[in-house]
Amino acid sequence: MRAVAAGFVALLAWPAAAQSVNDYPTNARVEYVTTCMATNGNTREMLDRCSCAIDRIAEILPYDGYVGAETILRMQQTNGERSSMFKGMAQMNETVATLRRAEAEAEIICF
């Protein structure tokens, strides 16, 4: 009876665990895939590979971290005083490094 109860509790917790891994909104995934496909060729194979890549990134990096890293990368590309703040801070560099590691793992697995 305890095994059945434990299994039931695990089943109830499963959607919450899945949601924590799948916290990327659909439009963010679509934006990533369409940009990836445009960069790598708009083929069916690239659709599969790019979809795989964003799924791997999402498993490693929560959506908030992804948005933060993308924002930092965009700000680093600007000119002037504002961009220097985004280029020199260790915490921001670590945020970007986490995204780069996730992208590298996705590249290995999906491409």
Side-chain angles (χ1 to χ4, degrees):
M1 185 66 160
R2 284 186 181 186
V4 171
F8 183 69
V9 169
L11 258 173
L12 290 175
W14 179 76
Q19 183 60 32
S20 68
V21 170
N22 189 16
D23 66 342
Y24 283 52
T26 302
N27 63 342
R29 289 177 182 266
V30 169
E31 181 180 5
Y32 179 92
V33 170
T34 54
T35 302
C36 175
M37 286 178 65
T39 303
N40 295 297
N42 287 315
T43 65
R44 172 67 187 171
E45 179 185 4
M46 281 303 120
L47 172 64
D48 293 339
R49 290 178 187 263
C50 294
S51 297
C52 171
I54 192 61
D55 290 343
R56 297 301 153 250
I57 292 168
E59 288 176 1
I60 296 167
L61 188 64
Y63 182 65
D64 288 342
Y66 176 79
V67 169
E70 287 290 323
T71 302
I72 293 166
L73 287 169
R74 286 191 179 106
M75 292 305 295
Q76 287 176 344
Q77 293 175 356
T78 62
N79 295 325
E81 225 175 281
R82 292 181 187 175
S83 68
S84 64
M85 178 179 81
F86 289 92
K87 293 176 183 173
M89 294 181 70
Q91 182 180 7
M92 291 191 189
N93 291 336
E94 181 57 36
T95 300
V96 171
T98 302
L99 174 60
R100 295 291 188 221
R101 284 190 295 273
E103 288 175 331
E105 185 172 323
E107 178 89 16
I108 290 167
I109 293 170
C110 300
F111 290 87

